[in-house]
């Protein structure tokens, strides 16, 4: 019962603190403090409810138990992070987004590619990753190369569609103005159309950043060496080591948020002139 009172008290304290902070003028400190207090309150309430109702660790381990397992398994978590995030997700992200960008330039240059490739791209983008993953694992083997291939398939077409859409975003008047300056295709592309396409390109990069990690983890469920987040989650569930499963989920959430945040920061620096960045 004490843990339930603890959970209720922490919830009331967090509610009061966030209400007071939200009423203050918006600064960097208050903007950061509100979500931090909100997150810490949720973790404390989770701890109190799990201990107060004596929920089995197999169903839902307490955050303190997950933290202890996290600290005790840093070597395993780091090995899985390197295998899944750096080798599988990041390499697939770079290859997929880079090739999609180059293909988008070709699609923009040749109209028959726009008419033929984009409908096929929309069709392929709708294919379920859970159906494509085992096929690509059989093609490229059980190591990180097959996971990178899955990531390439997942990120290629969102990046391609956004880039093509962005390259078409400049107006006819702007392109006519470039022609009056005797600017050719590549000059117009570099000085007008690519800058105008940057918000669309970064939109594709942000979508791909979340898809990449999901694709790498899901692909490991269909075959992997004895390391990787997907492998560890599937085997730990069979061993009822749910605290290690949650530790892997925490690592994946931190990695995904950090990845998305880095892309968003680069976007803010590159597209500072766009109305969406002016606040």
């Amino acid at each position: 019962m004490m843990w339930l009172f603890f959970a209720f008290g922490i919830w009331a304290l967090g509610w009061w603190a966030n209400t007071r902070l939200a009423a203050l003028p918006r600064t960097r400190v208050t903007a950061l403090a509100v979500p931090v207090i909100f997150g810490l309150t949720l973790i404390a309430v989770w701890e109190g409810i799990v201990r107060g109702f004596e929920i089995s660790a197999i169903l839902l381990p307490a955050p303190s138990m997950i933290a202890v397992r996290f600290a005790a398994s840093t070597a395993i978590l780091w090995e899985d992070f390197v295998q899944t995030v750096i080798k599988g997700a990041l390499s697939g992200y770079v290859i997929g987004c880079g090739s999609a960008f180059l293909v988008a330039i070709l699609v923009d240059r040749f109209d028959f590619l726009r008419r033929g490739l984009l409908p096929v791209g929309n069709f392929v983008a709708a294919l379920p990753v859970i159906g494509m993953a085992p096929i690509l694992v059989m093609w490229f083997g059980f190591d990180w190369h097959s996971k990178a291939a899955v990531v390439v398939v997942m990120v290629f077409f969102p990046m391609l569609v956004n880039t093509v859409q962005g390259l078409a975003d400049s107006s006819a008047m702007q392109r006519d103005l470039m022609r009056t300056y005797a600017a050719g295709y590549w000059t117009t592309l570099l000085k007008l159309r690519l800058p105008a396409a940057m918000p669309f390109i970064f939109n594709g990069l942000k979508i791909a950043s979340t898809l990449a990690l999901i694709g790498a983890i899901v692909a490991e469920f269909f075959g992997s060496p004895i390391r990787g987040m997907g492998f560890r989650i599937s085997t730990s569930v069979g061993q009822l080591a749910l605290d290690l499963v949650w530790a892997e989920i925490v690592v994946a959430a931190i990695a995904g948020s950090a990845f998305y945040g880095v892309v968003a920061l680069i976007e803010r620096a590159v597209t500072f002139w766009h109305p969406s960045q002016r606040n």
Side-chain angles (χ1 to χ4, degrees), residues 133-168:
I135 297 172
L136 294 173
V137 169
M138 293 300 294
W139 285 358
F140 295 97
F142 291 96
D143 209 343
W144 64 269
H145 307 86
S146 57
K147 287 67 186 175
V150 173
V151 174
V152 169
V153 171
M154 289 188 70
V155 306
F156 181 85
F157 288 104
M159 182 65 187
L160 174 66
V161 171
N162 276 278
T163 305
V164 171
Q165 184 69 29
L167 291 174

PDB file of all heavy atoms in Angstrom, residues 133-168:
ATOM      1  N   ALA A 133      11.753  -9.420 -45.311  1.00  0.00           N
ATOM      2  CA  ALA A 133      12.945  -9.681 -44.499  1.00  0.00           C
ATOM      3  C   ALA A 133      13.486 -11.103 -44.648  1.00  0.00           C
ATOM      4  O   ALA A 133      14.695 -11.283 -44.884  1.00  0.00           O
ATOM      5  CB  ALA A 133      12.646  -9.351 -43.037  1.00  0.00           C
ATOM      6  N   PRO A 134      12.651 -12.145 -44.519  1.00  0.00           N
ATOM      7  CA  PRO A 134      13.231 -13.494 -44.656  1.00  0.00           C
ATOM      8  C   PRO A 134      13.823 -13.764 -46.028  1.00  0.00           C
ATOM      9  O   PRO A 134      14.814 -14.500 -46.154  1.00  0.00           O
ATOM     10  CB  PRO A 134      12.042 -14.418 -44.357  1.00  0.00           C
ATOM     11  CG  PRO A 134      10.832 -13.580 -44.484  1.00  0.00           C
ATOM     12  CD  PRO A 134      11.225 -12.201 -44.167  1.00  0.00           C
ATOM     13  N   ILE A 135      13.257 -13.156 -47.083  1.00  0.00           N
ATOM     14  CA  ILE A 135      13.814 -13.344 -48.433  1.00  0.00           C
ATOM     15  C   ILE A 135      15.194 -12.709 -48.527  1.00  0.00           C
ATOM     16  O   ILE A 135      16.156 -13.317 -49.028  1.00  0.00           O
ATOM     17  CB  ILE A 135      12.858 -12.727 -49.473  1.00  0.00           C
ATOM     18  CG1 ILE A 135      11.510 -13.455 -49.445  1.00  0.00           C
ATOM     19  CG2 ILE A 135      13.467 -12.788 -50.863  1.00  0.00           C
ATOM     20  CD1 ILE A 135      10.454 -12.795 -50.302  1.00  0.00           C
ATOM     21  N   LEU A 136      15.326 -11.488 -48.020  1.00  0.00           N
ATOM     22  CA  LEU A 136      16.619 -10.805 -48.094  1.00  0.00           C
ATOM     23  C   LEU A 136      17.654 -11.473 -47.190  1.00  0.00           C
ATOM     24  O   LEU A 136      18.851 -11.470 -47.513  1.00  0.00           O
ATOM     25  CB  LEU A 136      16.435  -9.331 -47.708  1.00  0.00           C
ATOM     26  CG  LEU A 136      15.582  -8.520 -48.694  1.00  0.00           C
ATOM     27  CD1 LEU A 136      15.298  -7.131 -48.161  1.00  0.00           C
ATOM     28  CD2 LEU A 136      16.289  -8.418 -50.048  1.00  0.00           C
ATOM     29  N   VAL A 137      17.212 -12.035 -46.074  1.00  0.00           N
ATOM     30  CA  VAL A 137      18.145 -12.768 -45.207  1.00  0.00           C
ATOM     31  C   VAL A 137      18.683 -13.995 -45.930  1.00  0.00           C
ATOM     32  O   VAL A 137      19.869 -14.331 -45.834  1.00  0.00           O
ATOM     33  CB  VAL A 137      17.455 -13.163 -43.886  1.00  0.00           C
ATOM     34  CG1 VAL A 137      18.311 -14.150 -43.088  1.00  0.00           C
ATOM     35  CG2 VAL A 137      17.175 -11.914 -43.039  1.00  0.00           C
ATOM     36  N   MET A 138      17.822 -14.661 -46.696  1.00  0.00           N
ATOM     37  CA  MET A 138      18.285 -15.822 -47.464  1.00  0.00           C
ATOM     38  C   MET A 138      19.240 -15.400 -48.572  1.00  0.00           C
ATOM     39  O   MET A 138      20.178 -16.121 -48.914  1.00  0.00           O
ATOM     40  CB  MET A 138      17.082 -16.555 -48.058  1.00  0.00           C
ATOM     41  CG  MET A 138      16.174 -17.207 -47.028  1.00  0.00           C
ATOM     42  SD  MET A 138      17.038 -18.447 -46.040  1.00  0.00           S
ATOM     43  CE  MET A 138      17.403 -19.666 -47.284  1.00  0.00           C
ATOM     44  N   TRP A 139      19.025 -14.234 -49.168  1.00  0.00           N
ATOM     45  CA  TRP A 139      19.880 -13.769 -50.266  1.00  0.00           C
ATOM     46  C   TRP A 139      21.254 -13.331 -49.761  1.00  0.00           C
ATOM     47  O   TRP A 139      22.279 -13.637 -50.371  1.00  0.00           O
ATOM     48  CB  TRP A 139      19.210 -12.592 -50.987  1.00  0.00           C
ATOM     49  CG  TRP A 139      18.072 -12.988 -51.877  1.00  0.00           C
ATOM     50  CD1 TRP A 139      17.613 -14.247 -52.121  1.00  0.00           C
ATOM     51  CD2 TRP A 139      17.237 -12.102 -52.628  1.00  0.00           C
ATOM     52  NE1 TRP A 139      16.532 -14.211 -52.976  1.00  0.00           N
ATOM     53  CE2 TRP A 139      16.284 -12.910 -53.318  1.00  0.00           C
ATOM     54  CE3 TRP A 139      17.189 -10.725 -52.793  1.00  0.00           C
ATOM     55  CZ2 TRP A 139      15.308 -12.364 -54.145  1.00  0.00           C
ATOM     56  CZ3 TRP A 139      16.218 -10.188 -53.617  1.00  0.00           C
ATOM     57  CH2 TRP A 139      15.282 -10.999 -54.285  1.00  0.00           C
ATOM     58  N   PHE A 140      21.281 -12.558 -48.681  1.00  0.00           N
ATOM     59  CA  PHE A 140      22.525 -11.902 -48.260  1.00  0.00           C
ATOM     60  C   PHE A 140      23.171 -12.527 -47.016  1.00  0.00           C
ATOM     61  O   PHE A 140      24.162 -11.997 -46.516  1.00  0.00           O
ATOM     62  CB  PHE A 140      22.260 -10.411 -47.990  1.00  0.00           C
ATOM     63  CG  PHE A 140      21.859  -9.641 -49.220  1.00  0.00           C
ATOM     64  CD1 PHE A 140      20.523  -9.394 -49.509  1.00  0.00           C
ATOM     65  CD2 PHE A 140      22.819  -9.172 -50.105  1.00  0.00           C
ATOM     66  CE1 PHE A 140      20.147  -8.686 -50.641  1.00  0.00           C
ATOM     67  CE2 PHE A 140      22.456  -8.468 -51.244  1.00  0.00           C
ATOM     68  CZ  PHE A 140      21.118  -8.225 -51.512  1.00  0.00           C
ATOM     69  N   GLY A 141      22.601 -13.614 -46.503  1.00  0.00           N
ATOM     70  CA  GLY A 141      23.233 -14.277 -45.362  1.00  0.00           C
ATOM     71  C   GLY A 141      22.698 -13.767 -44.042  1.00  0.00           C
ATOM     72  O   GLY A 141      21.862 -12.872 -43.977  1.00  0.00           O
ATOM     73  N   PHE A 142      23.234 -14.336 -42.959  1.00  0.00           N
ATOM     74  CA  PHE A 142      22.682 -14.054 -41.636  1.00  0.00           C
ATOM     75  C   PHE A 142      23.403 -12.906 -40.915  1.00  0.00           C
ATOM     76  O   PHE A 142      23.004 -12.553 -39.809  1.00  0.00           O
ATOM     77  CB  PHE A 142      22.738 -15.321 -40.776  1.00  0.00           C
ATOM     78  CG  PHE A 142      21.782 -16.387 -41.248  1.00  0.00           C
ATOM     79  CD1 PHE A 142      22.216 -17.408 -42.089  1.00  0.00           C
ATOM     80  CD2 PHE A 142      20.458 -16.362 -40.881  1.00  0.00           C
ATOM     81  CE1 PHE A 142      21.332 -18.372 -42.538  1.00  0.00           C
ATOM     82  CE2 PHE A 142      19.565 -17.320 -41.320  1.00  0.00           C
ATOM     83  CZ  PHE A 142      20.005 -18.338 -42.154  1.00  0.00           C
ATOM     84  N   ASP A 143      24.476 -12.391 -41.473  1.00  0.00           N
ATOM     85  CA  ASP A 143      25.195 -11.310 -40.781  1.00  0.00           C
ATOM     86  C   ASP A 143      24.518  -9.967 -41.070  1.00  0.00           C
ATOM     87  O   ASP A 143      23.419  -9.924 -41.632  1.00  0.00           O
ATOM     88  CB  ASP A 143      26.661 -11.311 -41.233  1.00  0.00           C
ATOM     89  CG  ASP A 143      27.576 -10.780 -40.136  1.00  0.00           C
ATOM     90  OD1 ASP A 143      27.045 -10.130 -39.212  1.00  0.00           O
ATOM     91  OD2 ASP A 143      28.796 -11.003 -40.198  1.00  0.00           O
ATOM     92  N   TRP A 144      25.176  -8.864 -40.749  1.00  0.00           N
ATOM     93  CA  TRP A 144      24.552  -7.543 -40.811  1.00  0.00           C
ATOM     94  C   TRP A 144      24.235  -7.102 -42.233  1.00  0.00           C
ATOM     95  O   TRP A 144      23.407  -6.190 -42.417  1.00  0.00           O
ATOM     96  CB  TRP A 144      25.447  -6.507 -40.147  1.00  0.00           C
ATOM     97  CG  TRP A 144      26.770  -6.289 -40.820  1.00  0.00           C
ATOM     98  CD1 TRP A 144      27.925  -6.945 -40.555  1.00  0.00           C
ATOM     99  CD2 TRP A 144      27.061  -5.377 -41.872  1.00  0.00           C
ATOM    100  NE1 TRP A 144      28.936  -6.509 -41.372  1.00  0.00           N
ATOM    101  CE2 TRP A 144      28.430  -5.534 -42.193  1.00  0.00           C
ATOM    102  CE3 TRP A 144      26.322  -4.443 -42.597  1.00  0.00           C
ATOM    103  CZ2 TRP A 144      29.053  -4.782 -43.188  1.00  0.00           C
ATOM    104  CZ3 TRP A 144      26.950  -3.695 -43.585  1.00  0.00           C
ATOM    105  CH2 TRP A 144      28.295  -3.870 -43.868  1.00  0.00           C
ATOM    106  N   HIS A 145      24.854  -7.744 -43.251  1.00  0.00           N
ATOM    107  CA  HIS A 145      24.607  -7.317 -44.627  1.00  0.00           C
ATOM    108  C   HIS A 145      23.136  -7.473 -45.027  1.00  0.00           C
ATOM    109  O   HIS A 145      22.562  -6.613 -45.711  1.00  0.00           O
ATOM    110  CB  HIS A 145      25.494  -8.125 -45.579  1.00  0.00           C
ATOM    111  CG  HIS A 145      26.948  -8.105 -45.214  1.00  0.00           C
ATOM    112  ND1 HIS A 145      27.486  -9.000 -44.304  1.00  0.00           N
ATOM    113  CD2 HIS A 145      27.950  -7.293 -45.592  1.00  0.00           C
ATOM    114  CE1 HIS A 145      28.777  -8.751 -44.158  1.00  0.00           C
ATOM    115  NE2 HIS A 145      29.088  -7.713 -44.925  1.00  0.00           N
ATOM    116  N   SER A 146      22.511  -8.575 -44.587  1.00  0.00           N
ATOM    117  CA  SER A 146      21.095  -8.773 -44.922  1.00  0.00           C
ATOM    118  C   SER A 146      20.219  -7.757 -44.198  1.00  0.00           C
ATOM    119  O   SER A 146      19.202  -7.306 -44.735  1.00  0.00           O
ATOM    120  CB  SER A 146      20.671 -10.196 -44.559  1.00  0.00           C
ATOM    121  OG  SER A 146      20.900 -10.459 -43.191  1.00  0.00           O
ATOM    122  N   LYS A 147      20.606  -7.354 -42.979  1.00  0.00           N
ATOM    123  CA  LYS A 147      19.835  -6.333 -42.247  1.00  0.00           C
ATOM    124  C   LYS A 147      19.962  -4.980 -42.936  1.00  0.00           C
ATOM    125  O   LYS A 147      18.985  -4.213 -43.041  1.00  0.00           O
ATOM    126  CB  LYS A 147      20.301  -6.230 -40.806  1.00  0.00           C
ATOM    127  CG  LYS A 147      19.888  -7.392 -39.931  1.00  0.00           C
ATOM    128  CD  LYS A 147      20.557  -8.668 -40.339  1.00  0.00           C
ATOM    129  CE  LYS A 147      20.084  -9.885 -39.602  1.00  0.00           C
ATOM    130  NZ  LYS A 147      20.681 -11.129 -40.109  1.00  0.00           N
ATOM    131  N   ALA A 148      21.161  -4.687 -43.432  1.00  0.00           N
ATOM    132  CA  ALA A 148      21.336  -3.439 -44.181  1.00  0.00           C
ATOM    133  C   ALA A 148      20.508  -3.458 -45.468  1.00  0.00           C
ATOM    134  O   ALA A 148      19.944  -2.427 -45.869  1.00  0.00           O
ATOM    135  CB  ALA A 148      22.819  -3.236 -44.503  1.00  0.00           C
ATOM    136  N   ALA A 149      20.397  -4.630 -46.102  1.00  0.00           N
ATOM    137  CA  ALA A 149      19.581  -4.731 -47.321  1.00  0.00           C
ATOM    138  C   ALA A 149      18.111  -4.461 -47.016  1.00  0.00           C
ATOM    139  O   ALA A 149      17.415  -3.778 -47.792  1.00  0.00           O
ATOM    140  CB  ALA A 149      19.752  -6.123 -47.940  1.00  0.00           C
ATOM    141  N   VAL A 150      17.614  -4.985 -45.895  1.00  0.00           N
ATOM    142  CA  VAL A 150      16.229  -4.712 -45.497  1.00  0.00           C
ATOM    143  C   VAL A 150      16.022  -3.219 -45.263  1.00  0.00           C
ATOM    144  O   VAL A 150      15.014  -2.632 -45.675  1.00  0.00           O
ATOM    145  CB  VAL A 150      15.867  -5.527 -44.238  1.00  0.00           C
ATOM    146  CG1 VAL A 150      14.491  -5.117 -43.711  1.00  0.00           C
ATOM    147  CG2 VAL A 150      15.897  -7.016 -44.526  1.00  0.00           C
ATOM    148  N   VAL A 151      16.991  -2.598 -44.606  1.00  0.00           N
ATOM    149  CA  VAL A 151      16.897  -1.156 -44.340  1.00  0.00           C
ATOM    150  C   VAL A 151      16.892  -0.365 -45.649  1.00  0.00           C
ATOM    151  O   VAL A 151      16.126   0.598 -45.807  1.00  0.00           O
ATOM    152  CB  VAL A 151      18.058  -0.704 -43.423  1.00  0.00           C
ATOM    153  CG1 VAL A 151      18.054   0.811 -43.276  1.00  0.00           C
ATOM    154  CG2 VAL A 151      17.943  -1.371 -42.066  1.00  0.00           C
ATOM    155  N   VAL A 152      17.723  -0.772 -46.604  1.00  0.00           N
ATOM    156  CA  VAL A 152      17.749  -0.095 -47.904  1.00  0.00           C
ATOM    157  C   VAL A 152      16.372  -0.140 -48.566  1.00  0.00           C
ATOM    158  O   VAL A 152      15.868   0.864 -49.078  1.00  0.00           O
ATOM    159  CB  VAL A 152      18.823  -0.725 -48.817  1.00  0.00           C
ATOM    160  CG1 VAL A 152      18.679  -0.215 -50.249  1.00  0.00           C
ATOM    161  CG2 VAL A 152      20.219  -0.422 -48.303  1.00  0.00           C
ATOM    162  N   VAL A 153      15.741  -1.321 -48.547  1.00  0.00           N
ATOM    163  CA  VAL A 153      14.403  -1.458 -49.154  1.00  0.00           C
ATOM    164  C   VAL A 153      13.393  -0.565 -48.453  1.00  0.00           C
ATOM    165  O   VAL A 153      12.532   0.061 -49.087  1.00  0.00           O
ATOM    166  CB  VAL A 153      13.966  -2.935 -49.106  1.00  0.00           C
ATOM    167  CG1 VAL A 153      12.511  -3.080 -49.526  1.00  0.00           C
ATOM    168  CG2 VAL A 153      14.863  -3.785 -50.005  1.00  0.00           C
ATOM    169  N   MET A 154      13.510  -0.448 -47.124  1.00  0.00           N
ATOM    170  CA  MET A 154      12.528   0.331 -46.363  1.00  0.00           C
ATOM    171  C   MET A 154      12.693   1.837 -46.544  1.00  0.00           C
ATOM    172  O   MET A 154      11.705   2.575 -46.553  1.00  0.00           O
ATOM    173  CB  MET A 154      12.623  -0.019 -44.873  1.00  0.00           C
ATOM    174  CG  MET A 154      12.116  -1.409 -44.540  1.00  0.00           C
ATOM    175  SD  MET A 154      12.032  -1.696 -42.772  1.00  0.00           S
ATOM    176  CE  MET A 154      10.684  -0.616 -42.305  1.00  0.00           C
ATOM    177  N   VAL A 155      13.950   2.312 -46.672  1.00  0.00           N
ATOM    178  CA  VAL A 155      14.161   3.771 -46.690  1.00  0.00           C
ATOM    179  C   VAL A 155      14.248   4.330 -48.104  1.00  0.00           C
ATOM    180  O   VAL A 155      14.120   5.550 -48.288  1.00  0.00           O
ATOM    181  CB  VAL A 155      15.440   4.159 -45.903  1.00  0.00           C
ATOM    182  CG1 VAL A 155      15.392   3.595 -44.501  1.00  0.00           C
ATOM    183  CG2 VAL A 155      16.707   3.718 -46.610  1.00  0.00           C
ATOM    184  N   PHE A 156      14.473   3.467 -49.104  1.00  0.00           N
ATOM    185  CA  PHE A 156      14.749   3.971 -50.450  1.00  0.00           C
ATOM    186  C   PHE A 156      13.581   4.776 -51.009  1.00  0.00           C
ATOM    187  O   PHE A 156      13.745   5.934 -51.437  1.00  0.00           O
ATOM    188  CB  PHE A 156      15.089   2.791 -51.373  1.00  0.00           C
ATOM    189  CG  PHE A 156      15.407   3.204 -52.778  1.00  0.00           C
ATOM    190  CD1 PHE A 156      16.695   3.602 -53.127  1.00  0.00           C
ATOM    191  CD2 PHE A 156      14.428   3.205 -53.769  1.00  0.00           C
ATOM    192  CE1 PHE A 156      16.993   3.991 -54.423  1.00  0.00           C
ATOM    193  CE2 PHE A 156      14.718   3.591 -55.060  1.00  0.00           C
ATOM    194  CZ  PHE A 156      16.003   3.989 -55.389  1.00  0.00           C
ATOM    195  N   PHE A 157      12.387   4.205 -51.009  1.00  0.00           N
ATOM    196  CA  PHE A 157      11.276   4.860 -51.702  1.00  0.00           C
ATOM    197  C   PHE A 157      10.705   6.065 -50.942  1.00  0.00           C
ATOM    198  O   PHE A 157      10.340   7.053 -51.591  1.00  0.00           O
ATOM    199  CB  PHE A 157      10.211   3.826 -52.045  1.00  0.00           C
ATOM    200  CG  PHE A 157      10.641   2.912 -53.151  1.00  0.00           C
ATOM    201  CD1 PHE A 157      11.047   1.621 -52.884  1.00  0.00           C
ATOM    202  CD2 PHE A 157      10.699   3.368 -54.459  1.00  0.00           C
ATOM    203  CE1 PHE A 157      11.482   0.781 -53.907  1.00  0.00           C
ATOM    204  CE2 PHE A 157      11.129   2.543 -55.487  1.00  0.00           C
ATOM    205  CZ  PHE A 157      11.521   1.243 -55.217  1.00  0.00           C
ATOM    206  N   PRO A 158      10.604   6.040 -49.615  1.00  0.00           N
ATOM    207  CA  PRO A 158      10.221   7.307 -48.937  1.00  0.00           C
ATOM    208  C   PRO A 158      11.181   8.456 -49.243  1.00  0.00           C
ATOM    209  O   PRO A 158      10.746   9.601 -49.459  1.00  0.00           O
ATOM    210  CB  PRO A 158      10.249   6.930 -47.458  1.00  0.00           C
ATOM    211  CG  PRO A 158      10.003   5.466 -47.424  1.00  0.00           C
ATOM    212  CD  PRO A 158      10.659   4.924 -48.659  1.00  0.00           C
ATOM    213  N   MET A 159      12.484   8.137 -49.274  1.00  0.00           N
ATOM    214  CA  MET A 159      13.461   9.178 -49.593  1.00  0.00           C
ATOM    215  C   MET A 159      13.327   9.615 -51.051  1.00  0.00           C
ATOM    216  O   MET A 159      13.393  10.818 -51.382  1.00  0.00           O
ATOM    217  CB  MET A 159      14.873   8.631 -49.346  1.00  0.00           C
ATOM    218  CG  MET A 159      15.977   9.635 -49.595  1.00  0.00           C
ATOM    219  SD  MET A 159      15.922  11.000 -48.439  1.00  0.00           S
ATOM    220  CE  MET A 159      17.184  12.062 -49.158  1.00  0.00           C
ATOM    221  N   LEU A 160      13.111   8.656 -51.972  1.00  0.00           N
ATOM    222  CA  LEU A 160      12.980   8.974 -53.396  1.00  0.00           C
ATOM    223  C   LEU A 160      11.757   9.864 -53.647  1.00  0.00           C
ATOM    224  O   LEU A 160      11.858  10.900 -54.328  1.00  0.00           O
ATOM    225  CB  LEU A 160      12.866   7.679 -54.196  1.00  0.00           C
ATOM    226  CG  LEU A 160      12.581   7.825 -55.693  1.00  0.00           C
ATOM    227  CD1 LEU A 160      13.755   8.495 -56.390  1.00  0.00           C
ATOM    228  CD2 LEU A 160      12.280   6.475 -56.331  1.00  0.00           C
ATOM    229  N   VAL A 161      10.622   9.484 -53.098  1.00  0.00           N
ATOM    230  CA  VAL A 161       9.385  10.237 -53.338  1.00  0.00           C
ATOM    231  C   VAL A 161       9.508  11.659 -52.791  1.00  0.00           C
ATOM    232  O   VAL A 161       9.106  12.632 -53.452  1.00  0.00           O
ATOM    233  CB  VAL A 161       8.193   9.490 -52.718  1.00  0.00           C
ATOM    234  CG1 VAL A 161       6.936  10.357 -52.758  1.00  0.00           C
ATOM    235  CG2 VAL A 161       7.941   8.180 -53.443  1.00  0.00           C
ATOM    236  N   ASN A 162      10.064  11.809 -51.600  1.00  0.00           N
ATOM    237  CA  ASN A 162      10.201  13.147 -51.013  1.00  0.00           C
ATOM    238  C   ASN A 162      11.168  14.006 -51.813  1.00  0.00           C
ATOM    239  O   ASN A 162      10.929  15.212 -51.999  1.00  0.00           O
ATOM    240  CB  ASN A 162      10.674  13.033 -49.561  1.00  0.00           C
ATOM    241  CG  ASN A 162       9.532  12.798 -48.603  1.00  0.00           C
ATOM    242  OD1 ASN A 162       8.847  13.722 -48.193  1.00  0.00           O
ATOM    243  ND2 ASN A 162       9.306  11.536 -48.256  1.00  0.00           N
ATOM    244  N   THR A 163      12.268  13.426 -52.283  1.00  0.00           N
ATOM    245  CA  THR A 163      13.242  14.207 -53.036  1.00  0.00           C
ATOM    246  C   THR A 163      12.672  14.646 -54.380  1.00  0.00           C
ATOM    247  O   THR A 163      12.847  15.808 -54.795  1.00  0.00           O
ATOM    248  CB  THR A 163      14.522  13.390 -53.255  1.00  0.00           C
ATOM    249  OG1 THR A 163      15.018  12.945 -51.988  1.00  0.00           O
ATOM    250  CG2 THR A 163      15.598  14.238 -53.914  1.00  0.00           C
ATOM    251  N   VAL A 164      11.986  13.737 -55.078  1.00  0.00           N
ATOM    252  CA  VAL A 164      11.370  14.099 -56.354  1.00  0.00           C
ATOM    253  C   VAL A 164      10.328  15.190 -56.154  1.00  0.00           C
ATOM    254  O   VAL A 164      10.248  16.151 -56.934  1.00  0.00           O
ATOM    255  CB  VAL A 164      10.744  12.844 -57.011  1.00  0.00           C
ATOM    256  CG1 VAL A 164       9.902  13.229 -58.218  1.00  0.00           C
ATOM    257  CG2 VAL A 164      11.830  11.867 -57.430  1.00  0.00           C
ATOM    258  N   GLN A 165       9.539  15.059 -55.099  1.00  0.00           N
ATOM    259  CA  GLN A 165       8.537  16.086 -54.806  1.00  0.00           C
ATOM    260  C   GLN A 165       9.205  17.432 -54.514  1.00  0.00           C
ATOM    261  O   GLN A 165       8.738  18.494 -54.935  1.00  0.00           O
ATOM    262  CB  GLN A 165       7.685  15.642 -53.615  1.00  0.00           C
ATOM    263  CG  GLN A 165       6.542  16.574 -53.268  1.00  0.00           C
ATOM    264  CD  GLN A 165       5.446  16.564 -54.321  1.00  0.00           C
ATOM    265  OE1 GLN A 165       5.250  15.550 -54.993  1.00  0.00           O
ATOM    266  NE2 GLN A 165       4.754  17.673 -54.475  1.00  0.00           N
ATOM    267  N   GLY A 166      10.311  17.389 -53.798  1.00  0.00           N
ATOM    268  CA  GLY A 166      11.014  18.630 -53.473  1.00  0.00           C
ATOM    269  C   GLY A 166      11.628  19.291 -54.683  1.00  0.00           C
ATOM    270  O   GLY A 166      11.622  20.531 -54.801  1.00  0.00           O
ATOM    271  N   LEU A 167      12.164  18.495 -55.612  1.00  0.00           N
ATOM    272  CA  LEU A 167      12.775  19.072 -56.810  1.00  0.00           C
ATOM    273  C   LEU A 167      11.748  19.763 -57.708  1.00  0.00           C
ATOM    274  O   LEU A 167      12.103  20.621 -58.513  1.00  0.00           O
ATOM    275  CB  LEU A 167      13.499  17.972 -57.609  1.00  0.00           C
ATOM    276  CG  LEU A 167      14.756  17.410 -56.944  1.00  0.00           C
ATOM    277  CD1 LEU A 167      15.310  16.236 -57.730  1.00  0.00           C
ATOM    278  CD2 LEU A 167      15.826  18.496 -56.801  1.00  0.00           C
ATOM    279  N   ALA A 168      10.486  19.381 -57.552  1.00  0.00           N
ATOM    280  CA  ALA A 168       9.420  20.015 -58.340  1.00  0.00           C
ATOM    281  C   ALA A 168       8.790  21.197 -57.611  1.00  0.00           C
ATOM    282  O   ALA A 168       7.793  21.743 -58.080  1.00  0.00           O
ATOM    283  CB  ALA A 168       8.342  18.977 -58.672  1.00  0.00           C
TER     284      ALA A 168
END
